[in-house]
Amino acid sequence: MAEFKDKTVLITGGTRGIGRACAALFAREGANVAMCGRSAASAEQAAAEISAETGGTVAGYEADIGNGDAVDAMVKKVSERFGPVYVLVNNAGITRDNLLMRMKPADWSTVIETNLTGAFNCCRAVARDMVKQRQGRIINISSIIGIRGQGGQTNYAAAKAGLIGFSKSLAQELASRNITVNVVAPGYIETDMTAVLGDDVKAMLLEKIPLRRQGTGEDIAAAVRYFASDGASYVTGAVLQVDGGLAM
Ligand code: NDP
């Protein structure tokens, strides 16, 4: 499939999990994939591995997405190398779970900075070029936790719910320039982020998932691909839950 051939696709947090599955999918489809992580070494190593696996073009960059200057510098490098970003996938995210009364202010602010301000920084860094090109696709990875909440995750839920409001607002700002902004809200996906959950929590979650399995990075990448595709050119401001029916 050549739909993304030579298009520039930027994925935040491509070193592991969902972001890595997205990077592999777009690399297989001929895109020039740029991805970032907090360390240059791991971003470059993951990029080289995905390149070798897929035969595609993947470049890794160091950027903490919570830092606007670092994001601007990365986007400049990416567009100088591959041309303006056509697809931005705001995927990088973290958890710092705790009950509100035990949550340290730093655990609140780090999660908001990464999961919400990170998307703001990246959108701001690519929007001008997208507007100039009169085209672009922004896909933000939220979570079903942003829709229905979860005790112990007030910081994460606030950031992920915020991301939905942010996306719908930006979708309205950019629609007249042929730029779409959509949200994928994953459920319980098998990655490092969920590997830390206890066996009892995992068993309880599995019991509540109508499709009776944990999702994979590839399940989420397929939804991201849809929003990035020509077939979704009339879809903006949408939230697609990809959760095996968990939040139904
Ligand atoms: P992982 O923990 O497996 O991977 C997180 C990725 O984000 C890594 O590549 C990490 O790179 C990167 N990252 C973290 N912080 C930063 C930062 N400040 N700057 C740049 N990169 C950063 O997570 P998942 O793949 O599970 O999650 C991906 C997204 O999906 C997240 O937004 C998450 O909230 C969301 N999600 C996940 C679910 C799940 O069940 N797994 C469910 C719902 C939503 P590095 O460590 O190299 O810096």
Side-chain angles (χ1 to χ4, degrees):
M1 280 179 281
E3 187 168 349
F4 298 99
K5 182 135 185 51
D6 299 331
K7 298 239 163 93
T8 307
V9 176
L10 172 59
I11 301 162
T12 66
T15 59
R16 292 179 274 120
I18 292 169
R20 187 171 176 133
C22 293
L25 183 151
F26 285 108
R28 276 198 188 91
E29 298 210 19
N32 291 321
V33 179
M35 45 165 248
C36 74
R38 286 163 291 188
S39 114
S42 62
E44 284 162 14
Q45 189 188 329
E49 287 167 7
I50 301 166
S51 238
E53 272 162 40
T54 61
T57 305
V58 187
Y61 295 88
E62 176 184 345
D64 180 336
I65 55 160
N67 177 337
D69 291 341
V71 168
D72 288 348
M74 169 184 63
V75 168
K76 188 163 180 281
K77 282 186 209 155
V78 171
S79 51
E80 278 169 3
R81 179 158 176 192
F82 294 130
V85 173
Y86 174 62
V87 178
L88 167 66
V89 184
N90 280 308
N91 162 79
I94 55 166
T95 51
R96 293 284 184 276
D97 298 352
N98 220 330
L99 297 173
L100 177 83
M101 283 185 286
R102 291 189 197 144
M103 188 176 286
K104 298 194 177 84
D107 293 335
W108 170 267
S109 47
T110 312
V111 168
I112 301 290
E113 260 165 38
T114 303
N115 298 8
L116 184 56
T117 310
F120 163 79
N121 288 335
C122 294
C123 289
R124 217 166 69 108
V126 303
R128 201 173 295 278
D129 267 353
M130 285 186 175
V131 166
K132 266 196 220 144
Q133 303 289 316
R134 291 283 193 275
Q135 60 173 12
R137 299 298 167 91
I138 296 173
I139 298 121
N140 293 329
I141 308 297
S142 176
S143 166
I144 57 163
I145 305 303
I147 296 169
R148 61 174 208 180
Q150 177 65 49
Q153 293 199 300
T154 49
N155 50 359
Y156 185 79
K160 293 299 188 181
L163 196 52
I164 293 174
F166 169 82
S167 303
K168 291 186 179 195
S169 307
L170 187 60
Q172 292 180 33
E173 286 185 21
L174 297 179
S176 65
R177 303 297 194 275
N178 190 34
I179 300 161
T180 65
V181 185
N182 289 291
V183 177
V184 176
Y188 173 39
I189 311 301
E190 199 170 359
T191 68
D192 290 354
M193 187 177 272
T194 51
V196 296
L197 298 174
D199 287 343
D200 48 337
V201 178
K202 286 184 185 171
M204 191 189 67
L205 277 167
L206 277 178
E207 219 165 82
K208 288 187 182 156
I209 298 172
L211 285 176
R212 287 285 182 270
R213 68 169 175 88
Q214 218 179 334
T216 62
E218 287 71 25
D219 290 320
I220 306 305
V224 169
R225 186 200 182 283
Y226 166 67
F227 283 133
S229 73
D230 293 343
S233 61
Y234 197 54
V235 181
T236 196
V239 181
L240 178 57
Q241 293 178 203
V242 183
D243 63 354
L246 177 60
M248 189 169 19

